[in-house]
Amino acid sequence: MQPPAAATVASAATEQPVTLPPHGLPGLLVLPPQPRGVVLIAHGSGSDHLSPRHRHTAQVLAEAGLASLRADMLTAQESLDRRNTFDIPLLATRLVEAAQWLQQQPGTAGLPLGALGASTGAAAALLAAHHHGAIRAVVSRGGRPDLAGAALGSLDIPVLLIVGERDTEVLPLNEQARQALGEACELLVIPGATHLFDEPGTLEEASKAATGWFGRRLGGG
């Protein structure tokens, strides 16, 4: 019996360790066969590019034919200063640099580009999209889009805000951000989920929603 097409794509995807200039930041590039788009994944404070949640998201994206890059956004020295993990303009600059790197690589050059961020990484992704017009769509998962500030009002790309129903502190902030982002923004509340989507099935639901969003806006799916 032949395996499902999605499983075939996932098993055929390659995960390549990379080093991003100009700061030598480590990352992982996931490339399925003939990708139809690429997603830049931004972690939040207290996490890094080895996050199992982002690895899961990268796998779901690969099953849909979407490449992804997840990378650290601070150097080891910068990480020693906790303030840097909340420096949204700095993090956004690093994402723009990563996006520019993707646009120059043989496997991803010319592919439609999206960005997904969690926690503070969501604000960085939105601000990066504000500065880098090549980013066509953004997904925030359990994110803090409010930290992107005035940039929210100037974005005219599709944005999906995914929040857990039980993430009581962050949900109202996302509802406010949806108003600032306007008609191109949608808010998806995952029933029963808390901030980290630790509850059974909730991370899978969030990952599939994000993948579908990118698929429709990057890959024509």
Side-chain angles (χ1 to χ4, degrees), residues 6 9-11 13-15 28-32 37 39-41 49 51-71 116 141 203-204 207-208 210-211 214:
V9 171
S11 63
T14 61
E15 185 176 78
L28 289 166
L29 177 65
V30 177
L31 284 173
V39 176
L40 183 58
I41 299 176
H49 75 283
S51 160
R53 291 181 183 84
H54 288 323
R55 179 180 177 84
H56 176 272
T57 299
Q59 291 172 338
V60 176
L61 289 167
E63 290 171 0
L66 295 169
S68 64
L69 171 67
R70 56 195 198 274
L116 179 149
R141 189 192 69 217
L203 181 61
E204 180 73 14
S207 297
K208 287 184 176 179
T211 298
F214 287 126

mmCIF file of all heavy atoms in Angstrom, residues 6 9-11 13-15 28-32 37 39-41 49 51-71 116 141 203-204 207-208 210-211 214:
data_model
loop_
_atom_site.group_PDB
_atom_site.id
_atom_site.type_symbol
_atom_site.label_atom_id
_atom_site.label_comp_id
_atom_site.label_asym_id
_atom_site.label_seq_id
_atom_site.Cartn_x
_atom_site.Cartn_y
_atom_site.Cartn_z
ATOM 1 N N ALA A 6 1.052 13.219 1.780
ATOM 2 C CA ALA A 6 1.662 14.119 2.754
ATOM 3 C C ALA A 6 2.825 13.455 3.462
ATOM 4 O O ALA A 6 3.866 14.061 3.701
ATOM 5 C CB ALA A 6 0.614 14.581 3.777
ATOM 6 N N VAL A 9 5.865 13.370 1.156
ATOM 7 C CA VAL A 9 6.537 14.667 1.101
ATOM 8 C C VAL A 9 7.364 14.893 2.350
ATOM 9 O O VAL A 9 8.516 15.335 2.293
ATOM 10 C CB VAL A 9 5.504 15.797 0.913
ATOM 11 C CG1 VAL A 9 6.162 17.153 1.064
ATOM 12 C CG2 VAL A 9 4.845 15.685 -0.457
ATOM 13 N N ALA A 10 6.773 14.573 3.523
ATOM 14 C CA ALA A 10 7.475 14.818 4.778
ATOM 15 C C ALA A 10 8.752 14.011 4.857
ATOM 16 O O ALA A 10 9.797 14.497 5.281
ATOM 17 C CB ALA A 10 6.565 14.504 5.956
ATOM 18 N N SER A 11 8.689 12.716 4.446
ATOM 19 C CA SER A 11 9.866 11.869 4.545
ATOM 20 C C SER A 11 10.933 12.284 3.551
ATOM 21 O O SER A 11 12.117 12.038 3.760
ATOM 22 C CB SER A 11 9.471 10.402 4.317
ATOM 23 O OG SER A 11 8.957 10.230 2.996
ATOM 24 N N ALA A 13 11.570 15.424 2.667
ATOM 25 C CA ALA A 13 12.114 16.742 2.985
ATOM 26 C C ALA A 13 13.479 16.600 3.650
ATOM 27 O O ALA A 13 13.732 15.655 4.397
ATOM 28 C CB ALA A 13 11.165 17.501 3.906
ATOM 29 N N THR A 14 14.362 17.545 3.353
ATOM 30 C CA THR A 14 15.688 17.553 3.970
ATOM 31 C C THR A 14 15.766 18.682 4.992
ATOM 32 O O THR A 14 15.201 19.754 4.794
ATOM 33 C CB THR A 14 16.789 17.747 2.923
ATOM 34 O OG1 THR A 14 16.602 19.020 2.269
ATOM 35 C CG2 THR A 14 16.750 16.641 1.884
ATOM 36 N N GLU A 15 16.476 18.419 6.087
ATOM 37 C CA GLU A 15 16.710 19.428 7.115
ATOM 38 C C GLU A 15 18.203 19.729 7.147
ATOM 39 O O GLU A 15 19.009 18.866 7.489
ATOM 40 C CB GLU A 15 16.221 18.938 8.474
ATOM 41 C CG GLU A 15 16.318 19.993 9.565
ATOM 42 C CD GLU A 15 15.751 19.522 10.889
ATOM 43 O OE1 GLU A 15 16.437 18.764 11.585
ATOM 44 O OE2 GLU A 15 14.610 19.903 11.217
ATOM 45 N N LEU A 28 18.130 26.074 10.911
ATOM 46 C CA LEU A 28 17.783 24.838 10.218
ATOM 47 C C LEU A 28 16.858 25.185 9.052
ATOM 48 O O LEU A 28 15.815 25.808 9.240
ATOM 49 C CB LEU A 28 17.090 23.854 11.162
ATOM 50 C CG LEU A 28 17.984 23.224 12.239
ATOM 51 C CD1 LEU A 28 17.133 22.539 13.302
ATOM 52 C CD2 LEU A 28 18.958 22.230 11.610
ATOM 53 N N LEU A 29 17.252 24.755 7.876
ATOM 54 C CA LEU A 29 16.471 24.967 6.657
ATOM 55 C C LEU A 29 15.839 23.643 6.250
ATOM 56 O O LEU A 29 16.543 22.657 6.053
ATOM 57 C CB LEU A 29 17.378 25.493 5.541
ATOM 58 C CG LEU A 29 16.741 25.711 4.169
ATOM 59 C CD1 LEU A 29 15.680 26.804 4.221
ATOM 60 C CD2 LEU A 29 17.818 26.047 3.139
ATOM 61 N N VAL A 30 14.519 23.630 6.165
ATOM 62 C CA VAL A 30 13.792 22.426 5.760
ATOM 63 C C VAL A 30 13.296 22.619 4.332
ATOM 64 O O VAL A 30 12.564 23.577 4.051
ATOM 65 C CB VAL A 30 12.616 22.132 6.707
ATOM 66 C CG1 VAL A 30 11.827 20.916 6.228
ATOM 67 C CG2 VAL A 30 13.124 21.907 8.130
ATOM 68 N N LEU A 31 13.695 21.711 3.461
ATOM 69 C CA LEU A 31 13.350 21.810 2.046
ATOM 70 C C LEU A 31 12.626 20.550 1.572
ATOM 71 O O LEU A 31 13.224 19.491 1.459
ATOM 72 C CB LEU A 31 14.615 22.002 1.201
ATOM 73 C CG LEU A 31 15.275 23.375 1.205
ATOM 74 C CD1 LEU A 31 16.600 23.316 0.457
ATOM 75 C CD2 LEU A 31 14.361 24.408 0.568
ATOM 76 N N PRO A 32 11.326 20.652 1.297
ATOM 77 C CA PRO A 32 10.633 19.544 0.646
ATOM 78 C C PRO A 32 10.952 19.558 -0.848
ATOM 79 O O PRO A 32 11.487 20.553 -1.357
ATOM 80 C CB PRO A 32 9.155 19.869 0.895
ATOM 81 C CG PRO A 32 9.126 21.365 0.978
ATOM 82 C CD PRO A 32 10.442 21.785 1.574
ATOM 83 N N GLY A 37 6.751 27.580 -1.669
ATOM 84 C CA GLY A 37 6.868 28.773 -0.847
ATOM 85 C C GLY A 37 7.805 28.477 0.295
ATOM 86 O O GLY A 37 8.186 27.323 0.524
ATOM 87 N N VAL A 39 8.681 29.663 4.528
ATOM 88 C CA VAL A 39 8.209 30.366 5.721
ATOM 89 C C VAL A 39 9.381 30.571 6.676
ATOM 90 O O VAL A 39 10.081 29.624 7.033
ATOM 91 C CB VAL A 39 7.089 29.576 6.427
ATOM 92 C CG1 VAL A 39 6.668 30.277 7.721
ATOM 93 C CG2 VAL A 39 5.892 29.413 5.495
ATOM 94 N N LEU A 40 9.564 31.797 7.098
ATOM 95 C CA LEU A 40 10.575 32.153 8.080
ATOM 96 C C LEU A 40 9.931 32.051 9.459
ATOM 97 O O LEU A 40 8.951 32.734 9.741
ATOM 98 C CB LEU A 40 11.061 33.574 7.810
ATOM 99 C CG LEU A 40 12.175 34.149 8.662
ATOM 100 C CD1 LEU A 40 13.430 33.293 8.580
ATOM 101 C CD2 LEU A 40 12.484 35.573 8.226
ATOM 102 N N ILE A 41 10.471 31.170 10.311
ATOM 103 C CA ILE A 41 9.885 30.909 11.626
ATOM 104 C C ILE A 41 10.685 31.641 12.696
ATOM 105 O O ILE A 41 11.898 31.451 12.814
ATOM 106 C CB ILE A 41 9.851 29.394 11.915
ATOM 107 C CG1 ILE A 41 8.991 28.669 10.870
ATOM 108 C CG2 ILE A 41 9.314 29.129 13.317
ATOM 109 C CD1 ILE A 41 8.973 27.160 11.029
ATOM 110 N N HIS A 49 16.088 28.089 17.916
ATOM 111 C CA HIS A 49 15.687 27.434 16.663
ATOM 112 C C HIS A 49 15.492 25.924 16.821
ATOM 113 O O HIS A 49 14.982 25.270 15.914
ATOM 114 C CB HIS A 49 16.724 27.724 15.570
ATOM 115 C CG HIS A 49 17.992 26.952 15.695
ATOM 116 N ND1 HIS A 49 18.973 27.267 16.612
ATOM 117 C CD2 HIS A 49 18.462 25.870 15.014
ATOM 118 C CE1 HIS A 49 19.982 26.432 16.495
ATOM 119 N NE2 HIS A 49 19.702 25.572 15.534
ATOM 120 N N SER A 51 13.545 24.600 19.100
ATOM 121 C CA SER A 51 12.256 24.409 19.764
ATOM 122 C C SER A 51 11.467 23.260 19.141
ATOM 123 O O SER A 51 11.254 23.224 17.925
ATOM 124 C CB SER A 51 11.427 25.692 19.659
ATOM 125 O OG SER A 51 10.056 25.428 19.863
ATOM 126 N N PRO A 52 11.011 22.286 19.950
ATOM 127 C CA PRO A 52 10.222 21.184 19.392
ATOM 128 C C PRO A 52 8.905 21.643 18.779
ATOM 129 O O PRO A 52 8.398 21.026 17.844
ATOM 130 C CB PRO A 52 10.000 20.260 20.592
ATOM 131 C CG PRO A 52 10.257 21.097 21.803
ATOM 132 C CD PRO A 52 11.258 22.116 21.396
ATOM 133 N N ARG A 53 8.341 22.731 19.295
ATOM 134 C CA ARG A 53 7.099 23.235 18.711
ATOM 135 C C ARG A 53 7.339 23.734 17.290
ATOM 136 O O ARG A 53 6.547 23.487 16.381
ATOM 137 C CB ARG A 53 6.524 24.358 19.588
ATOM 138 C CG ARG A 53 6.014 23.887 20.933
ATOM 139 C CD ARG A 53 5.449 25.038 21.743
ATOM 140 N NE ARG A 53 5.019 24.572 23.056
ATOM 141 C CZ ARG A 53 5.820 24.432 24.102
ATOM 142 N NH1 ARG A 53 7.110 24.750 23.984
ATOM 143 N NH2 ARG A 53 5.356 23.993 25.257
ATOM 144 N N HIS A 54 8.430 24.466 17.096
ATOM 145 C CA HIS A 54 8.723 24.963 15.754
ATOM 146 C C HIS A 54 9.165 23.835 14.829
ATOM 147 O O HIS A 54 8.932 23.894 13.617
ATOM 148 C CB HIS A 54 9.774 26.058 15.822
ATOM 149 C CG HIS A 54 9.258 27.337 16.408
ATOM 150 N ND1 HIS A 54 7.981 27.793 16.170
ATOM 151 C CD2 HIS A 54 9.839 28.261 17.232
ATOM 152 C CE1 HIS A 54 7.797 28.941 16.813
ATOM 153 N NE2 HIS A 54 8.898 29.240 17.463
ATOM 154 N N ARG A 55 9.814 22.825 15.385
ATOM 155 C CA ARG A 55 10.166 21.662 14.563
ATOM 156 C C ARG A 55 8.889 20.982 14.048
ATOM 157 O O ARG A 55 8.801 20.598 12.884
ATOM 158 C CB ARG A 55 11.005 20.677 15.367
ATOM 159 C CG ARG A 55 11.388 19.418 14.572
ATOM 160 C CD ARG A 55 12.222 18.451 15.404
ATOM 161 N NE ARG A 55 12.512 17.242 14.663
ATOM 162 C CZ ARG A 55 13.512 17.110 13.806
ATOM 163 N NH1 ARG A 55 14.320 18.136 13.573
ATOM 164 N NH2 ARG A 55 13.708 15.973 13.154
ATOM 165 N N HIS A 56 7.904 20.859 14.937
ATOM 166 C CA HIS A 56 6.626 20.280 14.530
ATOM 167 C C HIS A 56 5.978 21.115 13.427
ATOM 168 O O HIS A 56 5.502 20.574 12.416
ATOM 169 C CB HIS A 56 5.696 20.208 15.740
ATOM 170 C CG HIS A 56 4.311 19.725 15.412
ATOM 171 N ND1 HIS A 56 3.302 20.582 15.021
ATOM 172 C CD2 HIS A 56 3.777 18.488 15.384
ATOM 173 C CE1 HIS A 56 2.205 19.884 14.784
ATOM 174 N NE2 HIS A 56 2.466 18.618 15.007
ATOM 175 N N THR A 57 5.988 22.429 13.599
ATOM 176 C CA THR A 57 5.407 23.312 12.587
ATOM 177 C C THR A 57 6.135 23.161 11.255
ATOM 178 O O THR A 57 5.499 23.102 10.192
ATOM 179 C CB THR A 57 5.474 24.769 13.057
ATOM 180 O OG1 THR A 57 4.720 24.914 14.268
ATOM 181 C CG2 THR A 57 4.909 25.711 12.009
ATOM 182 N N ALA A 58 7.462 23.073 11.306
ATOM 183 C CA ALA A 58 8.239 22.907 10.076
ATOM 184 C C ALA A 58 7.879 21.610 9.367
ATOM 185 O O ALA A 58 7.815 21.555 8.125
ATOM 186 C CB ALA A 58 9.734 22.948 10.396
ATOM 187 N N GLN A 59 7.616 20.557 10.130
ATOM 188 C CA GLN A 59 7.239 19.279 9.533
ATOM 189 C C GLN A 59 5.880 19.359 8.844
ATOM 190 O O GLN A 59 5.689 18.827 7.738
ATOM 191 C CB GLN A 59 7.235 18.188 10.601
ATOM 192 C CG GLN A 59 8.623 17.836 11.130
ATOM 193 C CD GLN A 59 8.593 16.902 12.319
ATOM 194 O OE1 GLN A 59 7.581 16.806 13.017
ATOM 195 N NE2 GLN A 59 9.687 16.206 12.555
ATOM 196 N N VAL A 60 4.936 20.036 9.500
ATOM 197 C CA VAL A 60 3.603 20.187 8.901
ATOM 198 C C VAL A 60 3.685 21.039 7.633
ATOM 199 O O VAL A 60 3.040 20.740 6.621
ATOM 200 C CB VAL A 60 2.620 20.788 9.921
ATOM 201 C CG1 VAL A 60 1.254 21.037 9.286
ATOM 202 C CG2 VAL A 60 2.472 19.864 11.123
ATOM 203 N N LEU A 61 4.490 22.096 7.670
ATOM 204 C CA LEU A 61 4.693 22.920 6.478
ATOM 205 C C LEU A 61 5.283 22.088 5.343
ATOM 206 O O LEU A 61 4.856 22.199 4.176
ATOM 207 C CB LEU A 61 5.611 24.096 6.801
ATOM 208 C CG LEU A 61 5.034 25.210 7.682
ATOM 209 C CD1 LEU A 61 6.146 26.131 8.169
ATOM 210 C CD2 LEU A 61 3.987 26.020 6.916
ATOM 211 N N ALA A 62 6.276 21.244 5.664
ATOM 212 C CA ALA A 62 6.916 20.425 4.635
ATOM 213 C C ALA A 62 5.930 19.460 3.995
ATOM 214 O O ALA A 62 5.985 19.201 2.785
ATOM 215 C CB ALA A 62 8.101 19.664 5.236
ATOM 216 N N GLU A 63 5.023 18.925 4.798
ATOM 217 C CA GLU A 63 4.007 18.022 4.260
ATOM 218 C C GLU A 63 3.130 18.717 3.217
ATOM 219 O O GLU A 63 2.598 18.077 2.314
ATOM 220 C CB GLU A 63 3.133 17.486 5.402
ATOM 221 C CG GLU A 63 3.859 16.513 6.318
ATOM 222 C CD GLU A 63 3.054 16.173 7.553
ATOM 223 O OE1 GLU A 63 1.924 16.710 7.690
ATOM 224 O OE2 GLU A 63 3.549 15.383 8.379
ATOM 225 N N ALA A 64 2.997 20.028 3.342
ATOM 226 C CA ALA A 64 2.198 20.809 2.397
ATOM 227 C C ALA A 64 3.053 21.394 1.270
ATOM 228 O O ALA A 64 2.561 22.208 0.485
ATOM 229 C CB ALA A 64 1.479 21.932 3.137
ATOM 230 N N GLY A 65 4.322 21.013 1.215
ATOM 231 C CA GLY A 65 5.189 21.498 0.147
ATOM 232 C C GLY A 65 5.775 22.871 0.387
ATOM 233 O O GLY A 65 6.187 23.547 -0.563
ATOM 234 N N LEU A 66 5.833 23.288 1.664
ATOM 235 C CA LEU A 66 6.380 24.596 1.999
ATOM 236 C C LEU A 66 7.702 24.433 2.747
ATOM 237 O O LEU A 66 7.782 23.718 3.739
ATOM 238 C CB LEU A 66 5.399 25.383 2.868
ATOM 239 C CG LEU A 66 4.076 25.768 2.195
ATOM 240 C CD1 LEU A 66 3.090 26.297 3.222
ATOM 241 C CD2 LEU A 66 4.309 26.811 1.109
ATOM 242 N N ALA A 67 8.736 25.096 2.254
ATOM 243 C CA ALA A 67 10.021 25.112 2.935
ATOM 244 C C ALA A 67 9.937 26.022 4.152
ATOM 245 O O ALA A 67 9.012 26.826 4.283
ATOM 246 C CB ALA A 67 11.112 25.603 1.975
ATOM 247 N N SER A 68 10.908 25.894 5.050
ATOM 248 C CA SER A 68 10.939 26.765 6.226
ATOM 249 C C SER A 68 12.370 26.963 6.689
ATOM 250 O O SER A 68 13.242 26.124 6.457
ATOM 251 C CB SER A 68 10.095 26.196 7.370
ATOM 252 O OG SER A 68 10.623 24.971 7.834
ATOM 253 N N LEU A 69 12.578 28.088 7.340
ATOM 254 C CA LEU A 69 13.853 28.388 7.989
ATOM 255 C C LEU A 69 13.565 28.855 9.400
ATOM 256 O O LEU A 69 12.786 29.785 9.607
ATOM 257 C CB LEU A 69 14.609 29.489 7.235
ATOM 258 C CG LEU A 69 15.866 30.028 7.950
ATOM 259 C CD1 LEU A 69 16.946 28.948 8.024
ATOM 260 C CD2 LEU A 69 16.401 31.269 7.241
ATOM 261 N N ARG A 70 14.161 28.188 10.370
ATOM 262 C CA ARG A 70 14.096 28.658 11.745
ATOM 263 C C ARG A 70 15.532 28.844 12.234
ATOM 264 O O ARG A 70 16.388 27.983 12.032
ATOM 265 C CB ARG A 70 13.318 27.691 12.631
ATOM 266 C CG ARG A 70 13.806 26.252 12.650
ATOM 267 C CD ARG A 70 12.716 25.357 13.256
ATOM 268 N NE ARG A 70 13.220 24.067 13.692
ATOM 269 C CZ ARG A 70 13.333 23.011 12.885
ATOM 270 N NH1 ARG A 70 13.013 23.113 11.597
ATOM 271 N NH2 ARG A 70 13.780 21.859 13.365
ATOM 272 N N ALA A 71 15.784 29.995 12.819
ATOM 273 C CA ALA A 71 17.150 30.351 13.214
ATOM 274 C C ALA A 71 17.140 31.144 14.496
ATOM 275 O O ALA A 71 16.146 31.806 14.836
ATOM 276 C CB ALA A 71 17.830 31.161 12.104
ATOM 277 N N LEU A 116 6.268 33.322 10.280
ATOM 278 C CA LEU A 116 5.473 32.856 11.404
ATOM 279 C C LEU A 116 6.241 33.137 12.680
ATOM 280 O O LEU A 116 7.430 32.825 12.769
ATOM 281 C CB LEU A 116 5.186 31.355 11.283
ATOM 282 C CG LEU A 116 4.374 30.698 12.401
ATOM 283 C CD1 LEU A 116 3.548 29.537 11.842
ATOM 284 C CD2 LEU A 116 5.255 30.180 13.550
ATOM 285 N N ARG A 141 1.392 32.871 16.342
ATOM 286 C CA ARG A 141 0.864 31.759 17.152
ATOM 287 C C ARG A 141 1.168 32.028 18.626
ATOM 288 O O ARG A 141 2.326 32.032 19.031
ATOM 289 C CB ARG A 141 1.503 30.433 16.730
ATOM 290 C CG ARG A 141 0.837 29.210 17.386
ATOM 291 C CD ARG A 141 1.649 27.959 17.183
ATOM 292 N NE ARG A 141 2.895 28.016 17.948
ATOM 293 C CZ ARG A 141 4.054 27.526 17.522
ATOM 294 N NH1 ARG A 141 4.152 26.993 16.316
ATOM 295 N NH2 ARG A 141 5.131 27.600 18.281
ATOM 296 N N LEU A 203 -1.629 21.964 19.379
ATOM 297 C CA LEU A 203 -0.517 22.424 18.545
ATOM 298 C C LEU A 203 -0.701 21.951 17.108
ATOM 299 O O LEU A 203 -0.421 22.691 16.160
ATOM 300 C CB LEU A 203 0.815 21.920 19.102
ATOM 301 C CG LEU A 203 2.062 22.363 18.325
ATOM 302 C CD1 LEU A 203 2.194 23.879 18.313
ATOM 303 C CD2 LEU A 203 3.323 21.713 18.905
ATOM 304 N N GLU A 204 -1.192 20.732 16.960
ATOM 305 C CA GLU A 204 -1.460 20.205 15.614
ATOM 306 C C GLU A 204 -2.504 21.065 14.905
ATOM 307 O O GLU A 204 -2.349 21.410 13.725
ATOM 308 C CB GLU A 204 -1.960 18.765 15.720
ATOM 309 C CG GLU A 204 -2.286 18.103 14.390
ATOM 310 C CD GLU A 204 -1.055 17.735 13.583
ATOM 311 O OE1 GLU A 204 0.057 17.749 14.133
ATOM 312 O OE2 GLU A 204 -1.214 17.444 12.384
ATOM 313 N N SER A 207 -0.865 24.352 13.946
ATOM 314 C CA SER A 207 0.092 24.182 12.850
ATOM 315 C C SER A 207 -0.623 23.984 11.517
ATOM 316 O O SER A 207 -0.204 24.525 10.492
ATOM 317 C CB SER A 207 1.019 22.997 13.139
ATOM 318 O OG SER A 207 1.802 23.226 14.291
ATOM 319 N N LYS A 208 -1.688 23.215 11.531
ATOM 320 C CA LYS A 208 -2.442 22.982 10.297
ATOM 321 C C LYS A 208 -3.128 24.270 9.827
ATOM 322 O O LYS A 208 -3.195 24.542 8.619
ATOM 323 C CB LYS A 208 -3.467 21.873 10.505
ATOM 324 C CG LYS A 208 -2.833 20.486 10.601
ATOM 325 C CD LYS A 208 -3.888 19.405 10.717
ATOM 326 C CE LYS A 208 -3.251 18.018 10.702
ATOM 327 N NZ LYS A 208 -4.259 16.936 10.837
ATOM 328 N N ALA A 210 -2.037 27.345 10.379
ATOM 329 C CA ALA A 210 -0.981 28.202 9.840
ATOM 330 C C ALA A 210 -0.553 27.728 8.458
ATOM 331 O O ALA A 210 -0.361 28.535 7.531
ATOM 332 C CB ALA A 210 0.218 28.203 10.790
ATOM 333 N N THR A 211 -0.423 26.416 8.305
ATOM 334 C CA THR A 211 -0.004 25.859 7.018
ATOM 335 C C THR A 211 -1.032 26.127 5.937
ATOM 336 O O THR A 211 -0.688 26.479 4.802
ATOM 337 C CB THR A 211 0.250 24.352 7.165
ATOM 338 O OG1 THR A 211 1.306 24.151 8.104
ATOM 339 C CG2 THR A 211 0.640 23.725 5.840
ATOM 340 N N PHE A 214 -0.738 29.824 4.882
ATOM 341 C CA PHE A 214 0.390 30.052 3.994
ATOM 342 C C PHE A 214 0.182 29.376 2.645
ATOM 343 O O PHE A 214 0.549 29.928 1.601
ATOM 344 C CB PHE A 214 1.684 29.559 4.631
ATOM 345 C CG PHE A 214 2.195 30.418 5.740
ATOM 346 C CD1 PHE A 214 2.469 29.888 6.988
ATOM 347 C CD2 PHE A 214 2.416 31.773 5.539
ATOM 348 C CE1 PHE A 214 2.950 30.680 8.021
ATOM 349 C CE2 PHE A 214 2.891 32.591 6.565
ATOM 350 C CZ PHE A 214 3.156 32.033 7.811
#
